């Protein structure tokens, strides 16, 4: 499972980098359809088109991130749950204002054929 942990940590970082780079196609390749997200904005279920709209037209953009304290657990051969902390800098789309956040995140990944895909992501604010 150690090799799978490293692979999944790399995929999680790739997903985050795709948000910084506004590389929606890469993000969609890493997502199940549908997928779920739970945040301070509530719970949502979205398909690939819905994710594309959020990523390309949403009110906030991710400028930078730093992931730490990554852990993985494997409830089955084709399921993994990642837990980690993230320090992220966001900006309102098209503006130079910045918002700094410290969050605790989880992502649930499932093996879809030969590839891992994220089916669920949660985030909650924590004190810095």
């Amino acid at each position: 499972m150690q090799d799978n942990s490293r692979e999944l940590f790399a995929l999680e970082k790739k997903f985050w980098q795709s948000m910084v780079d506004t590389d929606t196609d890469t993000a969609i390749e890493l997502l199940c359809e549908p997928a779920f997200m739970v945040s301070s904005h509530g719970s949502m279920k979205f398909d690939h088109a819905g994710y594309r709209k959020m990523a390309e037209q949403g009110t906030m953009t991710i400028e930078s991130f730093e992931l730490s304290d990554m852990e993985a657990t494997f409830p089955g051969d084709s399921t993994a749950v990642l837990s980690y902390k993230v320090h992220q800098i966001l900006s309102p789309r098209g503006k130079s204002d910045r918002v700094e956040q410290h969050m605790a995140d989880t992502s649930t990944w499932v093996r879809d054929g030969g590839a891992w895909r994220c089916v669920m992501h949660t985030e909650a604010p924590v004190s810095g």
Side-chain angles (χ1 to χ4, degrees):
M1 292 297 178
Q2 186 72 340
D3 289 339
N4 284 337
S5 294
R6 282 193 288 274
E7 177 185 4
L8 286 159
F9 296 159
L11 290 172
E12 190 77 21
K13 289 175 185 173
K14 181 177 180 179
F15 189 89
W16 275 88
Q17 190 61 50
S18 76
M19 291 189 291
V20 170
D21 297 340
T22 318
D23 181 359
T24 310
D25 291 335
T26 294
I28 286 172
E29 289 174 11
L30 296 170
L31 286 171
C32 284
E33 186 173 42
F36 290 90
M37 184 171 77
V38 178
S39 70
S40 61
H41 303 289
S43 176
M44 68 172 58
K45 180 179 178 180
F46 53 90
D47 59 11
H48 287 169
Y51 177 81
R52 184 176 298 282
K53 184 175 180 182
M54 282 188 296
E56 296 176 359
Q57 300 172 21
T59 59
M60 298 296 280
T61 62
I62 297 175
E63 302 295 321
S64 65
F65 68 93
E66 182 179 326
L67 308 182
S68 63
D69 300 332
M70 295 186 86
E71 294 188 45
T73 188
F74 295 86
D77 290 341
S78 61
T79 306
V81 180
L82 306 184
S83 174
Y84 56 93
K85 295 177 184 172
V86 61
H87 173 224
Q88 58 191 20
I89 306 293
L90 301 108
S91 293
R93 187 171 300 280
K95 299 188 179 175
S96 61
D97 301 341
R98 295 183 152 219
V99 177
E100 182 175 355
Q101 295 179 331
H102 295 272
M103 309 295 276
D105 289 21
T106 65
S107 291
T108 302
W109 292 77
V110 294
R111 193 181 299 274
D112 179 17
W116 287 102
R117 302 205 191 286
C118 187
V119 67
M120 173 75 168
H121 181 78
T122 70
E123 64 177 21
V126 295
S127 57

